[in-house]
Amino acid sequence: YQQNPKTYTIVKQLLAEGNAGELQKYFGSRMEFGTAGLRAAMGAGISHMNDLTIIQTTQGFCRYLEKNFSDLKKRGVVIGFDARAHLSSGGSSKRFARLAANTFISQGVPVYLFSDIIPTPFVPYTVTHLKLCAGIMVTASHNPKQDNGYKVYWENGAQIISPHDKGISQAIEENQEPWPQAWNDKLIDSSPLLHDPYAMVNKEYFEDIQKQCFYRNINKETNLKFVHTSVHGVGHKFVQLAFKAFDLSPPFAVPEQKDPDPDFPTVKYPNPEEGKGVLTLSFALAEKDGARIILANDPDADRLAVAEKQESGEWKVFSGNELGALLGWWIFTCWKNNSRDTRAIKDVYMLSSTVSSKILRAIALKEGFHFEETLTGFKWMGNRAKQLMDQGKAVLFAFEEAIGYMCCPAVLDKDGVSAAVITAEMASFLATRNLSLSQQLKAVYDEYGFHVTKASYFICHDPKVIQQLFDNLRNFDGKNTYPKSCGRFKVSGIRDLTTGYDSSQPDQKAILPTSTSSQMITFTFANGGVATMRTSGTEPKIKYYSELCAPPGNSDVEQLKKELDELVNALEKHFFQPEKNKLQRKTE
């Protein structure tokens, strides 16, 4: 019996052709449910995102929540979606969100389903704000257009961490047969259990972020012009509202990219991290309208890229680490000068992930607040922030180099909407001091020490090669020995978060949690350099991140950059061995 004629037809066609290879790809293995939830292409079969796999996933999640919350039927869950859609399989974020809502409602669980597209951070915001048991966001963020995803938040408003992923995964395995009314999403429209939080959140979120607005009078007067692009995603309306909440004139929106379009027609990849290619239309509009600053969200508006026109007429696109340094400096300065927060500085915290720049550590040391590093990914920062807040601490800011920023305690995840408007206020304030963002960044580095970073990745589709590459690093000069040097650079410390080894700890055991399912090794070098190699959870990439930190007063930046370039070249040559391992370089 066919429930979705489109996926049914795809499978029927393959059967008729006797195409065993494709059928194996569609039905050979189920999508894995991890801490990031699901992320896969839309299409037929259990290896793809479609009506059936969404129903099965939600049935498992629902049973897992019933087991964990005795008051699930009182509190309920929130579900949001972006604007992704896939014509050939009939899948769309909205359709998936409605099917998920139907699954919960069929079991008597109240569902707060957004009636329209929203930025991802609205889901964790709603979980916290309405004290719900969980949240689901249907989005594939900045992935290619054929992909979709299913992102899960726990009652604390942060993304899930282990062991919840394993528990949910097991529950999905145990609940694969669709429940009686699983496909009939029309049922929810007349259900008293269905609520729409759209109007409430659109009011209260924008009230909450105003606690981070400190220079309303400057915002009203500023002559600074901004360009904003939502890269065919959901961000346009919400960034306009955020500017209004801060009394800033609305940013110029890139007309070709402001409306949601699941085909992302003007970009090769809808990922502002990929740099200038995604910003071509923004540069053109900024030149036309005389704007000096560009703010770019990814399609689900949880991340932010920023570019600024330099004196030379060139555009500088800030790296995630550079914007992290600026926002960290700004948010701390605002807290110190304007905050009505009476907590002592010893109760103030900032966080960043272990592959991000340690600039916050340098600022914290000099100013007297706390800095902590977490594992990679906002799930760790969100969960740690909640723990600290529950102990009465103030968590002012958290960031990761992949252009993710958490600037408001109301959202325990990265939020590109609040980050965009806070960046605009910072730029407007600096303009009254005749400073650009670039000049202020240099001032931050002058005061706290230069931090130069360089990150990239290699693409590798063969898990065996990846495994071998990391095994080689763990058995470099004979069994169980790590490299003592990398070209001319002496290695002074090793932390392996796959095995739990850390040479710098008295008992040689790493402090951060370890995970055998992903690869991650950090090398510290005698020259003060740090480099981390890790596998990606969502893409076939081996990534690396490197940084050189100088103490304040060492202002020879060019020399630092040259030294880091040489370190990275040695890392690629000796540790990655791209020719031998047939690795594909990141193409600019």
Side-chain angles (χ1 to χ4, degrees):
Y1 179 63
Q2 59 179 79
Q3 293 287 358
N4 178 332
K6 289 188 172 177
T7 44
Y8 178 78
T9 307
I10 295 169
V11 176
K12 215 170 118 176
Q13 181 73 31
L14 290 175
L15 282 167
E17 292 165 8
N19 191 335
E22 281 297 292
L23 285 165
Q24 180 62 31
K25 254 198 318 210
Y26 286 24
F27 292 95
S29 63
R30 171 170 291 283
M31 282 179 292
E32 220 166 291
F33 189 98
T35 49
L38 301 172
R39 184 83 61 94
M42 291 179 270
I46 58 169
S47 62
H48 291 131
M49 301 278 295
N50 54 54
D51 294 0
L52 175 64
T53 50
I54 291 294
I55 288 168
Q56 293 171 324
T57 299
T58 311
Q59 289 181 169
F61 187 34
C62 180
R63 289 287 178 256
Y64 185 75
L65 289 173
E66 286 168 347
K67 216 164 69 183
N68 279 273
F69 297 102
S70 55
D71 54 359
L72 177 65
K73 289 187 173 147
K74 204 165 79 210
R75 289 161 69 191
V77 300
V78 55
I79 302 176
F81 55 90
D82 69 9
R84 286 179 178 255
H86 188 242
L87 279 176
S88 62
S89 70
S92 73
S93 298
K94 183 173 188 171
R95 164 108 183 119
F96 295 161
R98 284 180 59 86
L99 286 167
N102 187 40
T103 301
F104 278 106
I105 284 173
S106 76
Q107 305 304 299
V109 178
V111 172
Y112 295 81
L113 172 68
F114 282 95
S115 52
D116 204 349
I117 55 171
I118 51 153
T120 293
F122 279 22
V123 168
Y125 176 82
T126 308
V127 172
T128 305
H129 201 66
L130 297 179
K131 301 184 174 58
L132 307 179
C133 295
I136 298 165
M137 178 68 192
V138 184
T139 178
S141 189
H142 52 274
N143 271 40
K145 63 182 179 187
Q146 66 274 14
D147 289 2
N148 216 326
Y150 185 106
K151 200 172 180 180
V152 172
Y153 296 86
W154 202 242
E155 66 163 341
N156 62 357
Q159 287 179 56
I160 56 162
I161 47 176
S162 200
H164 293 312
D165 55 329
K166 294 183 191 56
I168 296 166
S169 195
Q170 196 186 334
I172 295 168
E173 292 293 333
E174 291 162 4
N175 290 281
Q176 287 189 15
E177 175 151 349
W179 298 336
Q181 292 292 338
W183 304 87
N184 187 3
D185 65 315
K186 302 259 185 313
L187 291 174
I188 65 176
D189 297 315
S190 56
S191 169
L193 293 171
L194 183 73
H195 309 278
D196 178 11
Y198 191 84
M200 183 268 307
V201 172
N202 266 312
K203 183 171 150 282
E204 303 197 3
Y205 169 88
F206 293 102
E207 284 168 12
D208 274 345
I209 64 170
Q210 288 178 51
K211 296 180 183 126
Q212 317 302 318
C213 176
F214 295 103
Y215 293 98
R216 208 171 273 287
N217 291 341
I218 290 177
N219 296 348
K220 280 179 189 157
E221 303 291 310
T222 187
N223 300 322
L224 210 53
K225 293 177 178 170
F226 299 90
V227 157
H228 174 249
T229 176
S230 41
V231 194
H232 303 297
V234 304
H236 171 73
K237 173 184 173 177
F238 304 98
V239 169
Q240 297 278 328
L241 286 169
F243 268 62
K244 201 174 152 191
F246 273 53
D247 275 321
L248 284 153
S249 298
F252 298 107
V254 176
E256 302 89 332
Q257 296 178 333
K258 80 175 178 60
D259 297 324
D261 186 334
D263 278 326
F264 305 110
T266 65
V267 292
K268 194 175 163 195
Y269 299 108
N271 184 359
E273 240 189 320
E274 299 287 341
K276 293 194 169 170
V278 180
L279 299 177
T280 312
L281 290 169
S282 301
F283 294 141
L285 182 66
E287 298 289 352
K288 179 173 126 323
D289 287 333
R292 207 178 75 204
I293 291 175
I294 291 167
L295 304 164
N297 287 123
D298 66 342
D300 68 329
D302 64 349
R303 302 190 313 156
L304 174 74
V306 176
E308 179 183 58
K309 194 172 186 179
Q310 305 300 291
E311 293 288 294
S312 63
E314 288 285 298
W315 284 94
K316 173 182 168 59
V317 181
F318 293 93
S319 72
N321 285 322
E322 290 172 330
L323 193 54
L326 280 167
L327 284 168
W329 161 80
W330 173 250
I331 286 167
F332 176 72
T333 307
C334 290
W335 179 85
K336 197 170 68 177
N337 297 341
N338 304 300
S339 179
R340 291 167 291 289
D341 191 337
T342 52
R343 281 175 285 204
I345 194 154
K346 67 173 175 38
D347 288 329
V348 169
Y349 280 74
M350 287 196 185
L351 313 174
S352 70
S353 68
T354 176
V355 297
S356 303
S357 169
K358 294 293 166 280
I359 183 66
L360 296 184
R361 182 177 66 191
I363 300 175
L365 276 169
K366 196 164 174 181
E367 299 292 349
F369 63 90
H370 289 274
F371 164 74
E372 274 190 24
E373 69 166 9
T374 70
L375 289 179
T376 315
F378 257 88
K379 58 185 179 193
W380 297 105
M381 284 182 273
N383 277 283
R384 180 63 184 140
K386 182 73 172 94
Q387 281 179 336
L388 288 165
M389 285 154 69
D390 287 346
Q391 294 162 19
K393 313 292 187 202
V395 180
L396 297 187
F397 178 59
F399 90 96
E400 64 179 3
E401 53 68 48
I403 63 174
Y405 312 94
M406 179 180 116
C407 305
C408 292
V411 174
L412 295 180
D413 197 14
K414 52 188 183 282
D415 178 355
V417 178
S418 58
V421 73
I422 289 168
T423 300
E425 177 171 271
M426 166 171 65
S428 303
F429 172 86
L430 288 168
T432 65
R433 307 284 193 274
N434 287 322
L435 288 167
S436 66
L437 291 174
S438 310
Q439 288 167 324
Q440 180 56 37
L441 180 64
K442 187 178 178 314
V444 170
Y445 286 146
D446 282 336
E447 183 160 349
Y448 301 107
F450 272 89
H451 288 59
V452 288
T453 60
K454 198 170 180 181
S456 191
Y457 58 79
F458 288 95
I459 292 172
C460 179
H461 290 281
D462 186 348
K464 283 202 274 300
V465 171
I466 296 178
Q467 184 65 49
Q468 224 169 338
L469 186 149
F470 281 92
D471 284 347
N472 178 41
L473 291 170
R474 294 186 181 104
N475 303 282
F476 205 75
D477 300 311
K479 199 165 163 48
N480 293 334
T481 60
Y482 291 88
K484 293 178 180 60
S485 65
C486 179
R488 70 174 177 87
F489 299 96
K490 195 173 167 309
V491 173
S492 59
I494 306 267
R495 183 185 64 190
D496 187 336
L497 288 179
T498 306
T499 64
Y501 169 75
D502 186 341
S503 66
S504 71
Q505 294 301 322
D507 61 357
Q508 313 236 305
K509 285 193 172 68
I511 295 170
L512 287 173
T514 56
S515 164
T516 48
S517 61
S518 57
Q519 300 283 354
M520 180 158 165
I521 304 178
T522 300
F523 301 93
T524 308
F525 296 93
N527 68 347
V530 178
T532 295
M533 295 169 60
R534 66 179 276 263
T535 46
S536 161
T538 49
E539 299 161 303
K541 292 175 179 176
I542 314 172
K543 302 183 171 187
Y544 67 79
Y545 310 80
S546 63
E547 179 166 41
L548 262 178
C549 312
N554 177 351
S555 55
D556 192 348
V557 188
E558 289 317 309
Q559 181 49 42
L560 275 174
K561 284 185 177 159
K562 192 170 156 276
E563 174 95 350
L564 186 63
D565 284 341
E566 287 177 24
L567 177 60
V568 165
N569 290 340
L571 188 76
E572 290 194 351
K573 186 178 156 187
H574 299 287
F575 289 3
F576 279 94
Q577 301 175 309
E579 283 72 33
K580 185 191 133 187
N581 290 313
K582 298 192 177 49
L583 305 176
Q584 193 186 329
R585 273 175 197 281
K586 171 187 177 180
T587 46
E588 281 310 330

